[in-house]
Amino acid sequence: MTQMNKSGITRRGLLRGATAMGAAALILPAGMRAASAAPKKGGVLRIGMGHGSTSDSLDPGTWDNAYSQVFASARHNYLTEIDADGQLVPELATEWSSPDATTWTFKIREGVTFHSGKTLDAGDVIASLNHHRGEDSESAAKPIVSSIVDMKADGSHTVVITLEAGNADFPFIISDYHLAILPAKDGKIDPMTLDGCGGYVVDSFEPGVQATLSRNPNYWKSDRAHFDGLEILPIVDAAARQNALLSGQVDVIDRVDLSTVHLLERAPNVNILSVSGTQHYVLPMDSRAAPYSDNNVRLALKHAINREELVDKILNGYGSVGNDHPIGVSNRFHASELEQRTYDPDKAKFYLKEAGLSSLDVELSTSEAAFGGATDTAVLFSESAKAAGINLTVKREPADGYWSNVWMQKPFVASYWGGRPTEDWMFTTAYASGASWNDSYWEHERFNKLLTEARSELDDAKRREMYVEMQSIVRDEGSVIVPMYANYVMALSNAVATPEKVASNWTMDGFKAVERWWFA
Amino acid sequence: MSFLMTLFWVVATALGALALGWLFRAVLVLATPANMARELRKAPLTASFGMLVILIYVVVALFAPLIAPFAESEVVGRQYQQWDSTYLLGTDNLGRDMLTRMIYGARNTVGIAFATTALAFFVGSILGLLAAVVGGWLDQFLSRVVDILMAIPSLIFSLLLLTIFGTSVVSLILVIATIDATRVFRLARSVAQGIVVMDYIEAAKLRGEGLWHLVTREVLPNAMAPLVAEFGLRFCFVFLAISALSFLGLGIQPPTADWGSMVRDNATLITFGDITPLLPAGAIALLTVAVNFVVDWQLHRASGLKE
Amino acid sequence: MAHVWRMIAQRLALGFLTLFVISLLIFGATELLPGDFAEAVLGQSATEETVAAIRRDLGLDQPFHTRYIDWLFGVLQGDFGKSLSNDRPVLDLIGNRLGNTLFLAIYAACLAVPLSLALGILAALFRNSIFDRVSNAAALTSISFPEFFVAYILILWLAQGGHFPSIARLSSSASLGQTLYQTFLPALTLTLVVTAHMMRMTRAAIINLLASPYIEMARLKGMSPMRVILKHALPNALAPIINVVALNLAYLITGVVVVEVVFVYPGLGQLMVDSVTRRDIPVVQAVALIFASAYVLLNLTADVLSTLSNPRLMHRR
């Protein structure tokens, strides 16, 4: 965590400091620190989110953008919570334990009520998780909970969950933003309900227009949810969002437009909040298809991309270079000992020769749907690859339908990962053999063996060793280029105060800004 | 004070433009055969300025690789560099030379816009005039088809056509031309409807003139004015359409430079008072104004007014 | 006059046919677009089983014609169905937004139509003068800028100084004056975008007639130039002007999604775009039908007015 006077430090210097510490960076005027010491109650927080559409749904299985996610954590609670330090802390579950990482027992907090007055019990938890499980599940979170074999209530406030195999990170997994706890009726939840046990009660919700909420008077957390009310607005246009903040129509915005952030920094009354987290951009190659089936070709491409330039120009410095594996500096077991891969056209040529090629023609499919700046990234990549004798053609695909028609369909594409709090979760999601989102169709025997072993290993030193080896395998033999880690960049009006440390797992303080922040 | 300065610059620019127009007209009069020179001498200064601008755009578009200081997509430095002697207009968001992008943008954008508009007018006006002259079932049929085409939201329409035909430049031209042609059709038809009931058309029909003669010799010349006026604007709408499509990921493929996308890529800068996006936007505006000044002159000539 | 009534009746009947064809086309088009609702809603998180489960649940696995006929029968009974995305009745979703869209369109039209007709007539009257050139150049410049860019410039000038709000938040309790103030910037943006087209057409159509013998005649009689234009030229130049006005009114209703996004204005355009992205067919269909009706009605009005404005067409031999 670094806090510095905005005027006294350059952006790049600040970022270097931030990444070196592997934590969140917060730019605040010096005067605010004192104020941030003691949270105050009161005020209506108006948030301008860069997502949100008229087709947003209340169903937890469909939450796919930051608008739904922030709105969800305002009205719902989860079993566990990841705090600002990346540690797992209790929320609706007071404690959890497992003898073998396979059978997990969760004690459910007593005396918690939903907004409707219903008291929380084990049945609500089981029904809420079951919404995502089973044959007929329509939930995007189905793969996350598919390892659950059985759940049963042991008394009114204990839930026992059995997994198909040991997973030391399971309590992390159930903090996933989809797995909100909703009230059950006859063993089922109504996925469209506005009722929850979170810090705010919903007054009105019009998808794509706004949500208004007011403080839950019976909230069980006494030191959270400081605002009297919330107004969450979707303001999708980047310039409109900035102007809404500058003209005082909202207090907080997320997804600050990185091409103009250097100008926004100069505005009085506005603070930029930049958090380096696990969010990273990737360029997966289909490892089954020529020429990407040859690891030498993949290494050539990995050396032909200029990461520093991308961080500079695409992220405007608000991010850090990637090292071709998905474990970021804020992760527990990040392998800092691995050498950082740099732009080296000669090495790229060398690997091309190893592959028996003198030049290479590839096509990179991209779209702004993949991540903001994906097309520009591809254009810069194409320019830097020229020096290595690689002719990279940029193919911009329609944003509409990108995930179903291009990603995992075309051999070389752009994509992103919001990042997962644990190494196992990230690897299992996108790198494990046969995983449904293994977008490079990559198979590696040693990697898969390590992945399974590390999952049920409880000794942290041994786990670390295993995860470092896995990162090194993905870096050198994997089929994904990870050029950069993108910070979460938000802008706050002076009036808004945050805790000293802001969570790095998701944007908006891990979606929990609504209950962790306050008006100074 | 700043307002007075702005006003001063606006007036100075306008006077400079007129002076250029005057010079250009003088050169043209000397360089062209006598009968053309006579017409040109009568051209208003605004029209000759318009012609000069169009000529410059055409030259730039044709000889872009020779004029541009750098290659089209070459990254030459840091992003958003100031204007200096190497990078006359600075650099863009990726560190490419802005002037080079503008020059290549002229080639890509103007070429596509011209092809599209010409195609839309050719198809739209011929069909519109035919519908008005022939009338009856042909008119009903064409009008209802156009009703339907216009009523399909253009987002779905362009998404669909581009999904089916791909995002090549040719399909881009065809799609935008189709959408534009429906608008031209309606205008041409309504103008021509007023003409076909005129006595001279009746006379031509009685003379036994063929359909083709009626359309091209009798109706078209009299419907020309509104159509030419429309052409000047439709031309500009194509730039906007390309820029809108590039937002959906359907426009011209990167790293090809086009002005519409350049405005979009840099647009947010304007809300901080940074004028970078005004360059491509201004280039479009200047061309639109120039084309329409020439159109105004032609309208005036066609109207037969003596003043 | 009788044949005008006949024409209106005939065209309205044909209009319904047009709507039917459009509903079929839109349904088919949305079908042809790659991906369906299930894939769109799950996005990057889609797996085969979940996609299949959603299709089963919503009946998306039924063949095309079954679903279309189901939809059609529903509509004929006044049931537009529910949104696939959030299970709300389509009519609820549309209700407010249709009102908002019409409000903004009418607001912009009230500013733009009188302004552009006046400018066009004045430009024709003072043709080739400095006034003509300047007003033309200004209108053309504003039309050359993409809408969002015009909006940004207005925000820079008018919103950042605190004169007008940069996001148009509507509330049902606000008075008309407040609402007009709140939505001034979007309306002004749209005005700037459509004015040039109508103004240029007015000017061109009038100038085209000024050399006609009957205008010469009127002028020789010593009528003032303004009177000549208003009494003699304008009535005969109405057909193309009406058409362009109708075209732009239709645009104000159907094409303002960019302005809605920049000013966060809850109109139909945004709903349409979101629903197409999600392949939410019932909503797409309903909005498309509203847009199509707007086109059909405005085209019909334009044709009727063109006919009424032309005595020769009124009394066809």
Side-chain angles (χ1 to χ4, degrees):
Chain A
M1 184 66 219
T2 47
Q3 273 189 19
M4 276 156 281
N5 192 321
K6 187 165 75 174
S7 56
I9 188 151
T10 66
R11 178 161 36 84
R12 302 244 196 269
L14 172 87
L15 283 160
R16 222 171 287 126
T19 36
M21 299 182 67
L26 178 57
I27 311 177
L28 292 174
M32 259 187 73
R33 247 192 114 158
S36 63
K40 267 195 340 204
K41 295 232 180 280
V44 173
L45 183 72
R46 297 159 304 167
I47 308 173
M49 297 293 299
H51 286 102
S53 86
T54 49
S55 39
D56 285 343
S57 162
L58 293 169
D59 184 340
T62 67
W63 297 339
D64 63 346
N65 64 54
Y67 186 90
S68 304
Q69 289 148 358
V70 168
F71 181 38
S73 40
R75 67 186 196 272
H76 292 305
N77 274 173
Y78 297 79
L79 280 186
T80 55
E81 177 186 347
I82 292 170
D83 71 5
D85 297 309
Q87 301 295 318
L88 198 66
V89 295
E91 195 163 50
L92 291 181
T94 49
E95 54 186 277
W96 49 89
S97 59
S98 170
D100 52 0
T102 307
T103 311
W104 287 90
T105 307
F106 289 88
K107 284 255 182 288
I108 309 299
R109 193 175 296 276
E110 301 201 22
V112 174
T113 55
F114 287 95
H115 304 152
S116 57
K118 182 186 182 308
T119 309
L120 172 77
D121 62 25
D124 300 316
V125 173
I126 293 178
S128 297
L129 293 180
N130 269 337
H131 176 63
H132 305 278
R133 292 176 65 224
E135 276 290 291
D136 294 332
S137 163
E138 299 174 4
S139 165
K142 184 177 179 184
I144 298 173
V145 291
S146 60
S147 63
I148 300 178
V149 187
D150 185 42
M151 279 192 295
K152 55 177 188 290
D154 179 10
S156 66
H157 283 82
T158 306
V159 178
V160 181
I161 298 176
T162 315
L163 307 179
E164 59 186 4
N167 188 347
D169 288 339
F170 183 71
F172 273 96
I173 287 180
I174 53 164
S175 73
D176 181 85
Y177 61 80
H178 293 101
L179 308 180
I181 305 303
L182 278 61
K185 202 178 166 210
D186 307 325
K188 281 208 151 172
I189 58 161
D190 168 13
M192 293 302 185
T193 182
L194 286 164
D195 194 14
C197 44
Y200 297 91
V201 183
V202 181
D203 296 326
S204 74
F205 172 55
E206 182 63 33
V209 183
Q210 69 173 354
T212 55
L213 303 91
S214 46
R215 193 172 190 286
N216 175 4
N218 305 318
Y219 197 34
W220 62 272
K221 293 184 197 173
S222 54
D223 57 342
R224 289 287 191 88
H226 307 292
F227 301 105
D228 289 339
L230 302 173
E231 286 177 15
I232 315 178
L233 310 174
I235 309 180
V236 179
D237 185 76
R241 207 156 56 241
Q242 281 173 358
N243 278 301
L245 178 72
L246 288 173
S247 58
Q249 294 183 76
V250 296
D251 305 305
V252 178
I253 60 170
D254 81 331
R255 276 168 64 99
V256 170
D257 177 31
L258 293 181
S259 64
T260 52
V261 63
H262 55 291
L263 299 168
L264 189 65
E265 280 167 10
R266 293 185 206 146
N269 311 326
V270 168
N271 300 302
I272 307 289
L273 174 61
S274 168
V275 182
S276 65
T278 46
Q279 170 176 247
H280 57 280
Y281 300 156
V282 293
L283 307 172
M285 302 165 271
D286 185 344
S287 59
R288 303 165 307 175
Y292 313 108
S293 48
D294 185 340
N295 192 41
N296 285 312
V297 170
R298 306 203 292 249
L299 280 169
L301 285 165
K302 285 174 180 175
H303 282 99
I305 191 165
N306 190 341
R307 296 149 207 263
E308 297 285 348
E309 184 187 34
L310 291 176
V311 172
D312 238 33
K313 290 181 177 171
I314 305 296
L315 302 178
N316 217 339
Y318 283 90
S320 52
V321 291
N323 201 12
D324 293 332
H325 63 72
I327 306 305
V329 283
S330 59
N331 276 93
R332 259 188 308 175
F333 301 126
H334 169 73
S336 49
E337 55 265 57
L338 292 180
E339 192 199 340
Q340 173 61 46
R341 186 163 281 147
T342 53
Y343 176 50
D344 191 340
D346 291 331
K347 259 196 191 150
K349 274 189 195 145
F350 166 79
Y351 283 113
L352 273 193
K353 208 183 266 167
E354 289 287 293
L357 299 167
S358 58
S359 72
L360 177 66
D361 288 287
V362 290
E363 186 178 85
L364 174 56
S365 297
T366 168
S367 158
E368 290 304 290
F371 56 86
T375 314
D376 286 340
T377 301
V379 169
L380 288 176
F381 189 7
S382 160
E383 287 300 308
S384 65
K386 271 185 193 152
I390 297 171
N391 178 19
L392 187 148
T393 316
V394 180
K395 175 99 167 75
R396 184 178 54 192
E397 307 277 357
D400 177 89
Y402 183 78
W403 298 113
S404 44
N405 309 315
V406 179
W407 183 64
M408 295 193 72
Q409 306 289 327
K410 300 277 168 76
F412 191 17
V413 303
S415 172
Y416 83 103
W417 289 105
R420 302 291 185 266
T422 71
E423 292 72 13
D424 175 63
W425 194 345
M426 189 64 239
F427 281 139
T428 310
T429 307
Y431 295 84
S433 160
S436 43
W437 302 329
N438 180 345
D439 49 13
S440 55
Y441 298 95
W442 183 64
E443 300 275 343
H444 195 283
E445 207 179 320
R446 170 80 185 149
F447 175 87
N448 288 319
K449 186 163 166 287
L450 282 170
L451 184 61
T452 326
E453 284 175 13
R455 196 173 292 154
S456 46
E457 176 63 59
L458 295 170
D459 177 353
D460 267 4
K462 276 195 194 141
R463 271 189 106 184
R464 181 181 167 76
E465 213 170 278
M466 291 167 161
Y467 281 122
V468 168
E469 186 182 345
M470 282 149 76
Q471 288 171 55
S472 143
I473 293 174
V474 171
R475 173 184 183 270
D476 297 328
E477 295 171 59
S479 194
V480 177
I481 304 175
V482 185
M484 54 189 150
Y485 279 73
N487 288 5
Y488 296 114
V489 186
M490 295 148 268
L492 284 58
S493 98
N494 263 346
V496 179
T498 69
E500 276 197 44
K501 187 151 191 181
V502 170
S504 63
N505 54 336
W506 296 108
T507 186
M508 295 299 288
D509 206 348
F511 304 140
K512 300 269 190 181
V514 285
E515 64 169 58
R516 290 179 185 168
W517 297 0
W518 64 92
F519 278 119
Chain B
M1 197 56 215
S2 75
F3 174 74
L4 283 180
M5 279 306 281
T6 319
L7 195 69
F8 168 76
W9 281 113
V10 168
V11 172
T13 318
L15 287 179
L18 291 182
L20 276 178
W22 182 80
L23 264 178
F24 182 65
R25 187 174 69 186
V27 174
L28 268 187
V29 168
L30 289 178
T32 46
N35 56 341
M36 231 176 121
R38 204 170 48 240
E39 286 295 327
L40 283 170
R41 201 167 291 135
K42 281 187 284 181
L45 286 178
T46 46
S48 40
F49 171 69
M51 285 189 288
L52 174 65
V53 169
I54 295 171
L55 181 73
I56 293 174
Y57 275 57
V58 169
V59 169
V60 167
L62 286 178
F63 301 105
L66 297 178
I67 302 170
F70 299 96
E72 183 172 3
S73 60
E74 189 182 353
V75 175
V76 294
R78 289 179 296 107
Q79 58 189 147
Y80 299 130
Q81 262 168 264
Q82 298 294 314
W83 297 15
D84 62 22
S85 53
T86 328
Y87 313 116
L88 290 178
L89 297 179
T91 55
D92 71 358
N93 57 337
L94 297 184
R96 297 174 295 197
D97 182 50
M98 199 70 187
L99 179 64
T100 307
R101 302 289 292 169
M102 293 286 297
I103 291 171
Y104 276 96
R107 161 178 269 199
N108 304 321
T109 328
V110 176
I112 291 175
F114 183 76
T116 311
T117 323
L119 185 63
F121 266 79
F122 182 71
V123 176
S125 52
I126 294 276
L127 289 180
L129 298 181
L130 265 182
V133 173
V134 177
W137 67 266
L138 182 73
D139 183 23
Q140 277 295 346
F141 173 74
L142 286 176
S143 300
R144 296 298 78 73
V145 169
V146 164
D147 264 0
I148 290 172
L149 285 180
M150 283 171 77
I152 297 177
S154 55
L155 170 78
I156 294 196
F157 199 58
S158 15
L159 266 185
L160 183 73
L161 292 183
L162 290 167
T163 317
I164 296 171
F165 300 115
T167 51
S168 70
V169 170
V170 176
S171 59
L172 192 70
I173 291 177
L174 289 179
V175 168
I176 302 179
T178 313
I179 295 176
D180 264 9
T182 56
R183 273 71 175 169
V184 178
F185 170 90
R186 279 208 52 93
L187 183 69
R189 176 178 169 274
S190 83
V191 174
Q193 269 190 329
I195 297 171
V196 291
V197 288
M198 294 287 187
D199 295 337
Y200 57 88
I201 302 288
E202 291 289 327
K205 276 185 184 160
L206 291 175
R207 279 207 306 275
E209 299 288 2
L211 182 61
W212 186 246
H213 177 96
L214 278 178
V215 169
T216 55
R217 287 297 151 91
E218 306 287 344
V219 182
L220 184 61
N222 290 296
M224 219 38 195
L227 286 180
V228 169
E230 181 79 1
F231 185 93
L233 284 180
R234 282 283 151 211
F235 191 67
C236 152
F237 289 162
V238 175
F239 295 96
L240 305 182
I242 294 175
S243 128
L245 287 177
S246 79
F247 182 63
L248 297 171
L250 299 168
I252 299 175
Q253 284 287 348
T256 311
D258 84 275
W259 292 336
S261 316
M262 286 168 76
V263 180
R264 184 171 286 289
D265 290 347
N266 297 303
T268 44
L269 286 172
I270 195 74
T271 56
F272 290 97
D274 185 315
I275 59 157
T276 310
L278 275 181
L279 291 173
I284 299 176
L286 184 60
L287 181 59
T288 310
V289 171
V291 167
N292 281 286
F293 275 161
V294 177
V295 163
D296 282 351
W297 174 43
Q298 293 301 324
L299 275 180
H300 189 73
R301 266 164 34 98
S303 72
L305 282 171
K306 296 290 179 296
E307 39 185 307
Chain C
M1 208 51 207
H3 83 274
V4 172
W5 287 115
R6 201 167 56 240
M7 172 176 139
I8 293 176
Q10 190 191 10
R11 287 286 293 277
L12 280 179
L14 278 169
F16 278 105
L17 190 66
T18 311
L19 289 187
F20 169 74
V21 174
I22 284 170
S23 78
L24 190 61
L25 276 177
I26 302 279
F27 208 95
T30 321
E31 195 73 18
L32 274 178
L33 288 179
D36 66 353
F37 171 75
E39 283 172 338
V41 73
L42 292 168
Q44 200 190 8
S45 311
T47 64
E48 265 172 47
E49 304 103 76
T50 41
V51 166
I54 293 184
R55 284 187 187 147
R56 230 177 10 251
D57 184 32
L58 295 171
L60 296 176
D61 50 353
Q62 300 289 315
F64 171 75
H65 54 91
T66 322
R67 281 182 292 129
Y68 180 71
I69 291 170
D70 280 354
W71 176 85
L72 191 64
F73 273 103
V75 169
L76 291 179
Q77 292 160 14
D79 173 16
F80 281 81
K82 282 181 174 178
S83 155
L84 301 179
S85 309
N86 45 28
D87 217 28
R88 295 188 174 201
V90 171
L91 289 181
D92 281 8
L93 273 176
I94 287 179
N96 269 336
R97 286 173 178 268
L98 176 60
N100 292 344
T101 291
L102 290 179
F103 174 79
L104 187 59
I106 292 170
Y107 190 1
C110 287
L111 294 176
V113 174
L115 177 71
S116 43
L117 289 185
L119 280 177
I121 291 170
L122 288 176
L125 182 63
F126 303 113
R127 57 198 166 275
N128 303 338
S129 70
I130 294 213
F131 169 79
D132 179 25
R133 302 299 186 210
V134 170
S135 58
N136 262 305
L140 289 167
T141 306
S142 76
I143 205 179
S144 316
F145 290 172
E147 287 157 46
F148 62 90
F149 197 61
V150 175
Y152 289 170
I153 293 178
L154 290 181
I155 287 178
L156 174 69
W157 283 345
L158 296 175
Q160 284 185 358
H163 306 295
F164 291 95
S166 69
I167 51 179
R169 293 183 63 187
L170 300 176
S171 81
S172 46
S173 57
S175 70
L176 180 66
Q178 268 172 324
T179 315
L180 288 176
Y181 170 74
Q182 283 275 338
T183 53
F184 180 69
L185 285 186
L188 185 60
T189 308
L190 289 174
T191 304
L192 289 176
V193 168
V194 296
T195 297
H197 197 191
M198 294 187 282
M199 166 198 164
R200 302 264 318 155
M201 190 48 74
T202 309
R203 178 184 182 280
I206 291 175
I207 288 185
N208 191 35
L209 293 174
L210 286 184
S212 316
Y214 73 95
I215 301 275
E216 291 284 334
M217 188 66 198
R219 227 181 308 197
L220 288 176
K221 280 197 304 193
M223 258 179 157
S224 77
M226 192 64 175
R227 258 181 80 83
V228 171
I229 285 182
L230 288 181
K231 275 208 76 117
H232 293 286
L234 191 59
N236 286 292
L238 275 179
I241 299 176
I242 290 171
N243 251 285
V244 168
V245 170
L247 211 61
N248 280 290
L249 291 184
Y251 175 80
L252 288 178
I253 295 175
T254 64
V256 300
V257 58
V258 174
V259 172
E260 286 175 16
V261 170
V262 172
F263 293 104
V264 200
Y265 186 85
L268 284 177
Q270 184 67 53
L271 184 65
M272 180 82 183
V273 171
D274 286 347
S275 314
V276 171
T277 313
R278 277 278 164 103
R279 310 281 185 264
D280 191 342
I281 293 187
V283 185
V284 173
Q285 287 282 61
V287 181
L289 283 185
I290 291 176
F291 286 177
S293 316
Y295 266 110
V296 169
L297 287 177
L298 282 166
N299 278 352
L300 172 59
T301 315
D303 284 351
V304 169
L305 288 178
S306 305
T307 310
L308 290 179
S309 74
N310 190 335
R312 290 196 190 83
L313 277 175
M314 279 290 286
H315 308 287
R316 235 178 228 249
R317 275 159 287 175

